Amino acid sequence: MADRFEFISTTDKPALLAFSTPEWLEAARAALVELGYKVHTAATHGDFLVRFSQIQYQVVVVEELFAANNIAENLTLKALQNMPMSQRRHATVILFGNSFQTFTPLQAFQQSVHAVINSSELFLLKQLI
């Protein structure tokens, strides 16, 4: 698989999406593009970590079941939770899934992210950002 290189300028607003559900991915991508973000998509946990280490993303949206059967198996979320703050302080991390109540601070704190959004309220992503 050939890598596609894309330059990020200082005026770009980069965003990274990690979704397993195609419909949710497209809805999140459309919302971010409409807000002027340059959106990248991670296909695997390894792809996510490589992309996240190369670019200072302003917004990162991760599905709770990204390449996993349950949230405990989500290696991307575990990596973000265990990452030193110096590596992730530039990004606003949003966790998306069925098991959350939208904008519940305690759930976000428990998952070491900035915000959580329930999948039934995906339309709120654009308003949050």
Side-chain angles (χ1 to χ4, degrees):
M1 176 162 127
D3 286 331
R4 188 174 144 232
F5 294 100
E6 184 176 10
F7 291 102
I8 302 291
S9 73
T10 56
T11 58
D12 286 333
K13 300 187 310 185
L16 180 59
L17 302 178
F19 279 82
S20 291
T21 309
E23 299 83 24
W24 296 347
L25 172 64
E26 286 309 312
R29 179 194 311 275
L32 289 167
V33 167
E34 190 175 324
L35 291 170
Y37 284 87
K38 190 175 270 190
V39 180
H40 295 161
T41 304
T44 65
H45 298 298
D47 186 29
F48 178 90
L49 294 175
V50 167
R51 289 176 180 274
F52 191 81
S53 68
Q54 293 176 345
I55 296 174
Q56 286 193 344
Y57 288 98
Q58 291 181 6
V59 175
V60 175
V61 185
V62 179
E63 181 182 350
E64 70 177 326
L65 299 180
F66 174 60
N69 293 320
N70 58 52
I71 197 165
E73 294 177 3
N74 188 335
L75 299 177
T76 298
L77 181 58
K78 283 185 185 287
L80 283 170
Q81 291 169 338
N82 294 320
M83 198 174 284
M85 186 52 74
S86 61
Q87 286 181 294
R88 65 181 213 146
R89 79 167 32 113
H90 52 80
T92 299
V93 181
I94 301 167
L95 187 57
F96 182 81
N98 291 323
S99 63
F100 304 114
Q101 284 186 318
T102 300
F103 303 145
T104 304
L106 186 56
Q107 286 182 327
F109 178 76
Q110 288 171 334
Q111 298 299 326
S112 298
V113 298
H114 294 96
V116 293
I117 298 178
N118 187 282
S119 60
S120 66
E121 299 175 317
L122 178 59
F123 64 92
L124 292 174
L125 177 64
K126 186 175 164 187
Q127 294 172 357
L128 173 65
I129 297 172

